Amino acid sequence: MDDRNRSSILQWILPTAVMMIVVMVMLFNFSSKSSAEAQDTVSRTLIAATESFSDRFKSQLDGVRTVGVTIRALLEREGIDDKERVTQLLEIAVQCSGAYKAVYCDVSGKGWDQEGGEVSVAQADYFSTLQDTESCYIYTEENQQTILVAERIATEQIHGYLLMYYSMGNISTLIAKSGYDSTSFLTVIDEEGKILGVSGAETSNCLATGNLLEAMEPDNSESARMLRNRMSNGAKGTSEITMGKQSHVLVYVPTGVEGWEMVLGVSQDYVDRQVNFQWRSTKSMIRSLIIVICAFICIVVVINIVSRIRSNEKRKELEDKADTDQLTGLNNKLATERKIKNYMAQNPQSQSMMFLLDIDNFKKINDTMGHAFGDEVLRSLGMQIGAIFRATDIIGRVGGDEFMIFLKGIPDEETILKEARKVETFFKGFQAGEYVKYAATASIGVAIFPQEGADFETLYKAADQGLYKAKKRGKNQLAFYSDERS
């Protein structure tokens, strides 16, 4: 490939390559940004869903407390002397709040429930807490996982507590029909990570020990530490953990109740599916852009290849035209010399033959038959002599009526003589003219490369010496530079 072609290729390859690199980098950055945005969107969606669960949980507890505040006010106003009335109010509290039990007790822990049965909570695990704190929400596991909603009754005549028992089993329906997969779960934990209630896949490894943070510690200590810190700061967020063969994303938000946290656990596969769903249109667009870019590159390459082919064909056509003798269709003098010299340089030891021939009495042909007929003789000679040699041989018109034939790769003496006889025989039957047939003859000189000339000039002089011998002997014959072959 010549310098001009290289320059032409560089002119389109370099800008195109730079443009493609810039576009691919931009697409990669856009893809990464879109993926991150999709992940952020999914995280925000999961946090919003967890906040919704938390709000529903708190709303249920607030509903219990609202009923408790109302019943407490009635008890403070009506007193507790009428046990039947107190029992009726406790029953109303259960019916209106969703609590499974309501109890009135005095400061010693003795009282009765909504069915009128006498109870004593003095030995319950929560009674001391009830006396020592103003909190209205207390977690207990005395009979089942329960949130105790307590209202202190304190008047001049009454000192006691209204206790309403809300089962944490009620949250088991929170995650139902939420669209999460079967491995998802929802749980409420306290500040230490203790699991207060579960909705969903209770068999998850995260819930196996009854304490979420402790279950995370062995394999996800950093995540457990971060979750503990964020819970203490009232933060919300997500955390990825792997426990055994289970990979989860934990989504945590504060419930606003006693420092408890609502935690949603969804499988990593579910999150990945949601992320892919979020940026599927972006991936499709990126895929389409890549296809368009590849198609563009292919089109550019094809156009360049076609352009180069056409350019080479045009150049070859121009070169052939510049190398061709317009009258005979053979190589002109410059092309003949150049091609022979190139072959000699590339094949310095390859035995070859050079024929140098002149048409006998050509001036007389022009003078008697006219220049047009003389041109017809030359044209016919060029067409006919070109047909009897190989396409790889070099045949050219190097003067007005002078022709040169260079036969490549002649292996032995026998072939040299054979080719010489072929040329002689050709001129014995050569005739020119369409209507007036004219038998033109030629004098021919032959020299052998490289023995009789290792370069073009020396070989040409040797062939010319042979041509001189042929003319001196009477023309219409062939003579070798070396008389031994003549």
Side-chain angles (χ1 to χ4, degrees):
M1 183 181 295
D2 57 23
D3 293 340
R4 185 171 51 188
N5 276 338
R6 290 193 184 94
S7 176
S8 175
I9 290 175
L10 289 176
Q11 285 176 359
W12 72 266
I13 281 184
L14 289 179
T16 302
V18 170
M19 183 187 72
M20 291 301 103
I21 291 172
V22 171
V23 170
M24 294 307 291
V25 169
M26 292 177 63
L27 284 177
F28 176 78
N29 290 336
F30 178 69
S31 175
S32 300
K33 183 178 179 181
S34 299
S35 178
E37 288 178 350
Q39 291 175 346
D40 188 54
T41 299
V42 172
S43 295
R44 291 197 303 269
T45 301
L46 290 173
I47 290 173
T50 308
E51 287 178 326
S52 176
F53 291 136
S54 178
D55 291 343
R56 288 165 61 186
F57 170 69
K58 188 174 185 300
S59 177
Q60 290 175 4
L61 291 183
D62 288 346
V64 175
R65 187 183 183 192
T66 299
V67 173
V69 170
T70 303
I71 299 299
R72 182 199 69 189
L74 290 173
L75 289 173
E76 289 176 341
R77 187 179 67 185
E78 297 180 9
I80 60 171
D81 294 335
D82 186 348
K83 180 180 178 180
E84 184 176 344
R85 175 57 179 166
V86 173
T87 301
Q88 184 183 32
L89 290 175
L90 293 177
E91 185 176 359
I92 291 172
V94 170
Q95 291 174 349
C96 295
S97 67
Y100 68 87
K101 184 169 72 170
V103 170
Y104 165 76
C105 69
D106 59 21
V107 292
S108 67
K110 294 181 179 180
W112 58 89
D113 61 19
Q114 79 275 9
E115 296 177 351
E118 292 185 359
V119 297
S120 175
V121 298
Q123 302 302 318
D125 60 353
Y126 54 81
F127 188 66
S128 60
T129 305
L130 185 67
Q131 294 176 310
D132 297 338
T133 182
E134 295 295 325
S135 173
C136 65
Y137 298 113
I138 302 172
Y139 176 74
T140 178
E141 293 181 351
E142 185 173 356
N143 295 313
Q144 57 180 301
Q145 290 180 311
T146 299
I147 302 298
L148 183 64
V149 182
E151 291 294 329
R152 187 186 298 273
I153 302 172
T155 67
E156 292 181 359
Q157 294 80 21
I158 307 172
H159 294 280
Y161 303 96
L162 171 64
L163 307 178
M164 301 179 67
Y165 297 77
Y166 178 82
S167 173
M168 286 299 282
N170 289 334
I171 74 169
S172 63
T173 59
L174 284 179
I175 201 172
K177 299 181 180 179
S178 61
Y180 301 116
D181 56 26
S182 59
T183 63
S184 300
F185 62 85
L186 187 70
T187 183
V188 179
I189 62 175
D190 66 11
E191 301 95 322
E192 300 302 320
K194 183 177 181 179
I195 296 171
L196 309 183
V198 177
S199 176
E202 298 185 17
T203 58
S204 172
N205 291 345
C206 301
L207 311 175
T209 65
N211 189 300
L212 179 61
L213 295 179
E214 289 180 0
M216 291 171 59
E217 286 287 354
D219 299 323
N220 305 272
S221 58
E222 182 60 26
S223 296
R225 184 192 63 79
M226 181 182 68
L227 181 55
R228 195 184 300 274
N229 290 338
R230 290 190 173 181
M231 284 172 54
S232 65
N233 294 327
K236 56 187 176 184
T238 62
S239 180
E240 296 180 3
I241 64 170
T242 300
M243 301 181 67
K245 295 182 178 179
Q246 296 180 353
S247 295
H248 282 88
V249 173
L250 300 183
V251 187
Y252 47 91
V253 299
T255 63
V257 178
E258 300 298 323
W260 299 340
E261 202 84 3
M262 180 70 74
V263 179
L264 171 65
V266 293
S267 69
Q268 186 65 57
D269 289 341
Y270 172 84
V271 174
D272 292 342
R273 288 196 300 271
Q274 294 304 307
V275 170
N276 288 332
F277 180 79
Q278 286 291 330
W279 78 304
R280 67 192 185 283
S281 57
T282 302
K283 285 196 295 185
S284 177
M285 181 190 68
I286 292 174
R287 192 181 302 114
S288 298
L289 284 174
I290 291 174
I291 292 173
V292 170
I293 290 171
C294 291
F296 171 76
I297 293 174
C298 291
I299 291 172
V300 170
V301 170
V302 169
I303 291 175
N304 180 67
I305 291 174
V306 171
S307 176
R308 285 174 55 195
I309 291 174
R310 290 181 176 175
S311 176
N312 289 338
E313 289 177 347
K314 186 68 176 178
R315 185 185 63 188
K316 183 68 166 58
E317 182 181 341
L318 292 174
E319 288 177 352
D320 289 345
K321 189 173 182 180
D323 286 348
T324 302
D325 177 70
Q326 298 303 308
L327 179 62
T328 63
L330 301 175
N331 292 300
N332 59 27
K333 180 178 181 180
L334 292 177
T336 302
E337 291 185 10
R338 185 185 71 251
K339 291 178 180 180
I340 293 175
K341 287 178 179 178
N342 289 341
Y343 180 81
M344 288 178 169
Q346 296 169 9
N347 304 273
Q349 302 302 319
S350 176
Q351 183 169 262
S352 303
M353 298 177 66
M354 176 184 283
F355 292 86
L356 191 62
L357 57 92
D358 272 351
I359 297 177
D360 294 329
N361 305 314
F362 186 69
K363 183 176 182 306
K364 181 179 178 181
I365 295 174
N366 280 333
D367 292 343
T368 58
M369 308 290 289
H371 286 280
F373 188 81
D375 290 345
E376 180 63 25
V377 171
L378 297 176
R379 188 180 299 110
S380 296
L381 177 59
M383 292 176 58
Q384 295 181 44
I385 201 168
I388 68 171
F389 294 105
R390 298 168 299 184
T392 56
D393 293 326
I394 302 170
I395 306 172
R397 181 185 176 205
V398 294
D401 63 336
E402 186 177 279
F403 291 80
M404 184 178 292
I405 303 169
F406 187 82
L407 305 185
K408 302 176 182 178
I410 304 300
D412 49 39
E413 188 72 17
E414 181 180 352
T415 307
I416 290 175
L417 297 176
K418 177 183 176 182
E419 294 298 331
R421 286 194 294 270
K422 181 194 292 187
V423 176
E424 280 190 302
T425 302
F426 168 81
F427 278 101
K428 291 187 181 338
F430 171 69
Q431 288 185 331
E434 185 176 355
Y435 301 106
V436 178
K437 297 297 181 180
Y438 184 86
T441 62
S443 299
I444 307 164
V446 186
I448 307 302
F449 171 80
Q451 296 92 320
E452 297 171 351
D455 56 75
F456 178 83
E457 288 73 14
T458 304
L459 190 65
Y460 177 82
K461 290 178 181 179
D464 190 54
Q465 287 292 321
L467 176 61
Y468 176 77
K469 291 179 183 179
K471 289 183 176 182
K472 189 175 181 181
R473 294 172 182 171
K475 302 181 180 180
N476 190 22
Q477 58 184 283
L478 180 147
F480 282 89
Y481 170 74
S482 173
D483 285 332
E484 289 80 1
R485 293 190 182 90
S486 299

